[in-house]
Amino acid sequence: MNQKQRVANDAEEGFNKCNLCLIGTGKILRSFAVRNEQHLYLCECMNCGCEFLFPQPSDDWLASEYSGDYQKRQSSIQRPKKAWFKALLNQLNVDFSKRSLLEIGSGEGDLVAAINEKWCQAEITAIEANEECLPDYKRLKCNLITKSVETWLAYQTKECFDVIFLFDLLEHLRKPKQNLDQLVSRHLNTGGMVVATFPNVDSLSRKLLNVFWPQYKVEHLFYFSQSSVQWLARELNLETIELSALTKTLPLDYLYAIGSRFGPQSVQNCCRWSHQRLPQGIKQIALPLRLGEWLWVAQKRESLSKGISDETSN
Ligand SMILES: [Zn+2]
Ligand SMILES: [Zn+2]
């Protein structure tokens, strides 16, 4: 039996369980990617409504997708992310000055830089597994931990925070619900906030672009629907304060730089082609764009009598 038949068999017998809700099985939507005879399929969970990859790509495959990402981002023409984070922090309208903050997957430190500039008193811990990013933190004020979130969680540190930032992280985790559960139950103070962004499978860009949607990539193991976020919030005792289509104001030049290096090959080619033909003046224009992501802001409720941490500590 080849792998394709095996996956079809597994799906028929309900083995393609959703790794987000752990309850629903997935309806296979289409073949997603193939590498070294490993086939990935895109499934839609019949319980929580998210889309997910089944089976999940091997560690090798993921490593090859991630390798070079840092270099590719570094060579992007501009680094407008710090400005974008500042705008987002303003929009959230929260005074972070005396809060303890945690960012997971902090990349090149653009959010840390924005926080340092806006609230120099705020204490921020940044977790980033990619050691290539280390030099970016030389001039930043933060407690940098170079570990993956899974490794950091396994250390069972007792530290608690007022705000946990998860930008472009949850969709990359193999077990997003368990990891988020541990984060919220052990490391977020009651009344504390989670601020997260992740792919929005209900978005207009997803509907229009379909298989060419740039969020569809092997590193993204999950694509969240509104119902899957609501489900997650209920499960984790979080109250959703905001769940909205994320708007990013970015210069066209930057979008072309990203678009021509990441995502489906056809989109990369299209970006390169039009980038060479547009006048420089137009490429400097900054546009408010919806790139198919959610912005989710949620607050931790008082714990229920049956604590979540008790359920997940084993
Ligand atoms: Zn599910
Ligand atoms: Zn991502």
Side-chain angles (χ1 to χ4, degrees):
M1 194 178 351
N2 66 27
Q3 201 235 354
K4 194 172 178 173
Q5 289 164 327
R6 229 172 21 240
V7 170
N9 257 19
D10 284 355
E12 215 152 86
E13 290 174 30
F15 286 125
N16 57 338
K17 273 249 155 30
C18 166
N19 258 321
L20 183 64
C21 68
L22 311 170
I23 304 167
T25 47
K27 180 177 102 187
I28 293 185
L29 299 176
R30 66 179 169 90
S31 169
F32 190 83
V34 187
R35 178 186 181 259
N36 299 341
E37 296 186 8
Q38 196 193 355
H39 286 253
L40 307 184
Y41 292 83
L42 184 69
C43 295
E44 182 187 4
C45 174
M46 298 286 98
N47 178 54
C48 72
C50 78
E51 288 183 6
F52 63 93
L53 299 188
F54 177 79
Q56 290 190 349
S58 62
D59 289 345
D60 273 7
W61 191 346
L62 284 180
S64 81
E65 296 293 329
Y66 286 127
S67 84
D69 271 13
Y70 177 76
Q71 261 75 25
K72 283 198 261 179
R73 279 202 300 273
Q74 285 294 301
S75 53
S76 302
I77 300 156
Q78 293 185 45
R79 292 277 300 279
K81 277 177 77 183
K82 185 173 81 177
W84 177 76
F85 276 125
K86 274 187 170 173
L88 178 74
L89 293 168
N90 282 337
Q91 182 196 326
L92 292 175
N93 205 14
V94 175
D95 180 5
F96 292 104
S97 58
K98 293 194 184 79
R99 314 280 180 112
S100 58
L101 313 174
L102 170 68
E103 186 190 15
I104 300 182
S106 51
E108 292 90 38
D110 295 300
L111 174 74
V112 175
I115 300 254
N116 281 176
E117 277 183 29
K118 251 180 103 56
W119 296 283
C120 58
Q121 299 300 313
E123 273 178 43
I124 180 159
T125 298
I127 300 184
E128 173 54 52
N130 184 359
E131 294 190 0
E132 285 177 305
C133 298
L134 275 173
D136 293 306
Y137 288 82
K138 283 220 173 83
R139 270 165 297 154
L140 298 177
K141 202 186 88 184
C142 72
N143 170 26
L144 177 67
I145 298 172
T146 43
K147 287 191 174 78
S148 70
V149 59
E150 292 92 343
T151 314
W152 183 75
L153 283 169
Y155 272 87
Q156 304 260 359
T157 52
K158 291 276 187 294
E159 243 179 308
C160 258
F161 300 87
D162 298 319
V163 185
I164 300 180
F165 295 105
L166 309 167
F167 293 110
D168 188 20
L169 178 90
L170 291 177
E171 71 274 22
H172 294 263
L173 300 176
R174 289 194 184 277
K175 296 176 174 177
K177 190 227 165 189
Q178 289 96 319
N179 291 155
L180 190 59
D181 197 347
Q182 289 169 324
L183 278 170
V184 169
S185 58
R186 295 182 198 157
H187 302 289
L188 185 64
N189 292 321
T190 301
M193 278 163 57
V194 172
V195 180
T197 62
F198 39 78
N200 172 359
V201 81
D202 298 332
S203 62
L204 185 64
S205 64
R206 148 73 180 71
K207 285 174 186 136
L208 292 175
L209 298 170
N210 207 338
V211 297
F212 300 111
W213 189 41
Q215 296 287 347
Y216 278 141
K217 43 188 167 184
V218 171
E219 312 92 285
H220 284 178
L221 312 179
F222 296 92
Y223 307 88
F224 297 79
S225 62
Q226 186 174 16
S227 56
S228 62
V229 182
Q230 287 165 340
W231 177 87
L232 203 54
R234 270 197 310 276
E235 284 288 303
L236 303 184
N237 200 28
L238 291 167
E239 185 180 349
T240 297
I241 296 167
E242 179 171 355
L243 180 64
S244 58
L246 180 68
T247 305
K248 280 180 177 166
T249 302
L250 295 168
L252 265 179
D253 224 8
Y254 176 78
L255 293 168
Y256 277 121
I258 294 296
S260 55
R261 292 175 176 89
F262 296 93
Q265 199 55 49
S266 49
V267 177
Q268 290 191 23
N269 294 341
C270 180
C271 282
R272 266 188 224 118
W273 184 87
S274 45
H275 188 240
Q276 286 157 5
R277 283 159 184 81
L278 276 180
Q280 195 54 34
I282 291 186
K283 285 188 277 193
Q284 294 307 316
I285 296 172
L287 296 173
L289 288 168
R290 290 190 171 171
L291 301 171
E293 290 166 277
W294 288 115
L295 169 65
W296 184 39
V297 182
Q299 191 166 34
K300 183 176 174 178
R301 293 191 174 109
E302 294 279 336
S303 37
L304 305 167
S305 51
K306 185 168 171 278
I308 301 172
S309 50
D310 299 339
E311 287 171 35
T312 54
S313 56
N314 45 25

